Amino acid sequence: MYQNTLEFAKQKDEQDELKSYRNRFHHPIINGKPTVYFTGNSLGLQPKAAKQYINVELEDWAQWGVEGHFHGRNPWFSYHELLSEKMAKVVGAKPLETVVMGSLSTNVHLLMVSFYRPEGKRTKIICEAKAFPSDQYILETHVSHHNLNPDSEIIEISPRKGEELINEEDILKAIEETGEELALVMIGGVNYYTGQLFDMKTIAEAGHKVGAKVGFDLAHAAGNINLHLHDWNVDFAAWCTYKYLNSGPGGVSGIFIHECHATNKGLVRFGGWWGQDKETRFLMEKGFDPIPTAEGWQHSNAPVMLMAPLNASLDLFEEAGMEAIGKKRDDLTGYLEFIINDIKSEKVDFELITPTDKTKRGAQLSIAAKGQGKKLFDTLTQRNVIADWREPNVIRIAPAPLYNSYEDCWKFGQILRESIQ
Ligand SMILES: *Cc1c(COP(=O)(O)O)cnc(C)c1O
């Protein structure tokens, strides 16, 4: 079906429904030459509109000073509300279940305050082995904070011997076996290293069956995977927005709290004034009375300058729609996989470790560089492929459906072939 030719790639681009979006992003020029930018899973490209969105806020700040909180074109007092509905669509949530706030690692801690409540026998956490380091540290230090021992409380599910991917059966089996000792399942929805996508609905179901809570770090899933967090009955989730959601370096994070918890004002949490009921927030009185939505987990007033570029990006997602984005993601990633396998058939010294099944991955492909190692990655970089290296031997590439083209995939193949020779 696919062909490894420039002509074929150009024809695919011509037929691409989302082709017009490529030009709505700034594409880096490095050493005077265009790049093949495959690192949308690390830092998404800048939407051209981001500057205007930020400028509106700079202008309103200049004109209004503090009065911009109420008189600005997008009053800062409620700026985060502009984003909730758009974000909810991206992750398959009800607007009351999401809010944009803070940063990812901090938010996971805050959510664990509410959803990891070790008590009696129920103290254990199940996570995936080789989780993103921040998640490992979060779980470890959070367990220690409860005066428990991370070595005995955290159960890591590893790939079977000789395999790269985690067998989901092993996660489900561990959940069942841990049973009433299990407090929390906390997994990366898409594993950052292999690109493996987990079946969140089934994992949530299994966790609930034994009475545990189930949360996901969706850093590599938000804006990439077609998520249905509400329908899947996920308890909570958090993600950053600077990867597939293109909000810029250090961009603000998003959280999801299922309706059944978000509306529960009695649920334990760490409070801040921006989570306080809007009617009484400015009375500045004692007595925390949280907003009965995900907003009730907010601490601080909206970081407007970080939210403006996210708003610009979310408007593109809104316009294109996750459905069309998902369709292109699968076809584009499939094409890149085809190209890589075509080159591999000439010279086998690397291997794709990402699942071959489209329903088990998103836009990312991870290449185990084997004998070539970091040298191959460095050569690719010298030839203006912007990819991502992870120790010990993985090159991660992610064609982002909004701004990458089939021609990018073909070009990558040409450069990969040259770099190996
Ligand atoms: C990128 C990423 C992070 C980054 O966390 P920050 O708090 O935004 O620095 C955390 N977890 C996962 C799984 C990630 O992929």
Side-chain angles (χ1 to χ4, degrees):
M1 186 170 96
Y2 293 132
Q3 294 168 30
N4 189 0
T5 65
L6 177 58
E7 199 185 4
F8 178 83
K10 284 192 156 164
Q11 187 193 332
K12 288 290 285 181
D13 283 329
E14 202 40 56
Q15 294 161 354
D16 172 13
E17 271 176 53
L18 298 179
K19 66 182 169 201
S20 64
Y21 287 90
R22 181 176 174 84
N23 192 35
R24 295 174 73 181
F25 289 85
H26 288 291
H27 290 261
I29 304 283
I30 296 180
N31 297 326
K33 282 191 235 126
T35 55
V36 173
Y37 193 85
F38 277 165
T39 6
N41 57 343
S42 197
L43 185 74
L45 290 182
Q46 183 185 140
K48 286 182 179 166
K51 199 178 262 180
Q52 286 125 264
Y53 280 61
I54 296 171
N55 264 338
V56 166
E57 305 316 323
L58 286 172
E59 286 165 15
D60 282 358
W61 180 22
Q63 182 182 345
W64 292 101
V66 72
E67 295 296 310
H69 279 102
F70 300 99
H71 299 303
R73 280 164 279 183
N74 311 303
W76 307 326
F77 175 75
S78 53
Y79 196 94
H80 59 280
E81 293 174 16
L82 277 180
L83 306 177
S84 296
E85 198 156 323
K86 299 172 200 172
M87 189 59 104
K89 278 193 202 155
V90 170
V91 298
K94 294 188 175 184
L96 72 86
E97 293 174 319
T98 63
V99 72
V100 170
M101 65 182 227
S103 62
L104 172 55
S105 299
T106 309
N107 285 345
V108 176
H109 271 301
L110 293 177
L111 290 167
M112 282 184 67
V113 167
S114 298
F115 295 102
Y116 177 59
R117 312 277 308 152
E119 213 184 304
K121 267 166 71 174
R122 200 180 281 285
T123 54
K124 295 204 186 321
I125 299 176
I126 285 178
C127 67
E128 82 275 39
K130 280 216 201 160
F132 193 84
S134 202
D135 295 57
Q136 296 182 37
Y137 308 147
I138 291 166
L139 295 181
E140 178 190 326
T141 56
H142 214 96
V143 167
S144 303
H145 165 75
H146 286 283
N147 298 319
L148 295 167
N149 179 358
D151 292 337
S152 58
E153 302 308 326
I154 300 175
I155 302 168
E156 289 188 2
I157 312 300
S158 302
R160 293 182 186 176
K161 212 163 176 235
E163 295 179 11
E164 294 280 355
L165 303 172
I166 293 174
N167 190 318
E168 274 179 320
E169 292 299 318
D170 295 344
I171 299 177
L172 301 177
K173 200 167 125 232
I175 290 174
E176 199 183 320
E177 281 172 6
T178 312
E180 59 186 19
E181 292 184 14
L182 185 62
L184 175 67
V185 181
M186 176 73 212
I187 289 180
V190 173
N191 181 268
Y192 82 97
Y193 188 76
T194 61
Q196 178 177 13
L197 164 64
F198 293 104
D199 179 348
M200 292 177 239
K201 179 171 185 256
T202 304
I203 293 172
E205 225 167 70
H208 293 157
K209 208 163 146 197
V210 300
K213 296 288 189 289
V214 180
F216 294 98
D217 181 328
L218 298 179
H220 282 270
N224 175 27
I225 303 299
N226 300 80
L227 300 164
H228 303 280
L229 299 180
H230 176 84
D231 291 345
W232 294 345
N233 277 318
V234 169
D235 291 298
F236 69 95
W239 54 94
C240 50
T241 62
Y242 48 78
K243 291 174 180 166
Y244 292 98
L245 289 172
N246 317 313
S247 71
V252 65
S253 161
I255 65 166
F256 166 87
I257 298 172
H258 197 277
E259 185 175 24
C260 65
H261 305 300
T263 52
N264 176 3
K265 295 213 262 180
L267 200 59
V268 169
R269 72 196 74 184
F270 286 170
W273 76 318
W274 230 250
Q276 173 77 7
D277 184 272
K278 288 172 200 178
E279 300 300 317
T280 56
R281 183 187 287 155
F282 284 93
L283 299 180
M284 307 300 211
E285 281 175 348
K286 248 189 190 341
F288 181 55
D289 179 20
I291 303 167
T293 71
E295 285 186 57
W297 272 260
Q298 293 177 113
H299 282 179
S300 301
N301 69 94
V304 169
M305 295 303 165
L306 291 179
M307 287 180 174
L310 174 60
N311 198 13
S313 176
L314 287 178
D315 280 345
L316 294 177
F317 275 81
E318 175 106 343
E319 207 183 296
M322 273 313 290
E323 203 166 315
I325 292 171
K327 218 171 108 211
K328 178 171 173 192
R329 171 202 64 220
D330 286 343
D331 195 46
L332 190 66
T333 311
Y335 185 53
L336 184 58
E337 179 183 42
F338 164 82
I339 299 266
I340 292 170
N341 283 331
D342 193 48
I343 287 154
K344 193 179 132 192
S345 66
E346 296 166 16
K347 180 145 191 160
V348 184
D349 209 11
F350 56 85
E351 192 185 359
L352 277 171
I353 60 171
T354 305
T356 50
D357 177 351
K358 285 202 277 271
T359 66
K360 294 277 158 212
R361 71 180 186 206
Q364 175 182 326
L365 296 175
S366 299
I367 304 171
K370 301 227 162 152
Q372 310 251 346
K374 182 96 184 336
K375 234 177 92 196
L376 174 58
F377 174 77
D378 290 339
T379 311
L380 290 171
T381 308
Q382 276 162 18
R383 298 178 183 189
N384 265 22
V385 171
I386 311 301
D388 176 277
W389 172 258
R390 292 291 146 144
E391 295 294 340
N393 73 345
V394 161
I395 298 170
R396 303 186 310 157
I397 47 177
L402 274 185
Y403 53 75
N404 282 122
S405 63
Y406 291 83
E407 189 174 337
D408 283 338
C409 299
W410 177 81
K411 263 192 205 155
F412 174 81
Q414 295 298 105
I415 298 171
L416 180 65
R417 183 188 276 125
E418 289 163 22
S419 303
I420 289 169
Q421 278 156 7

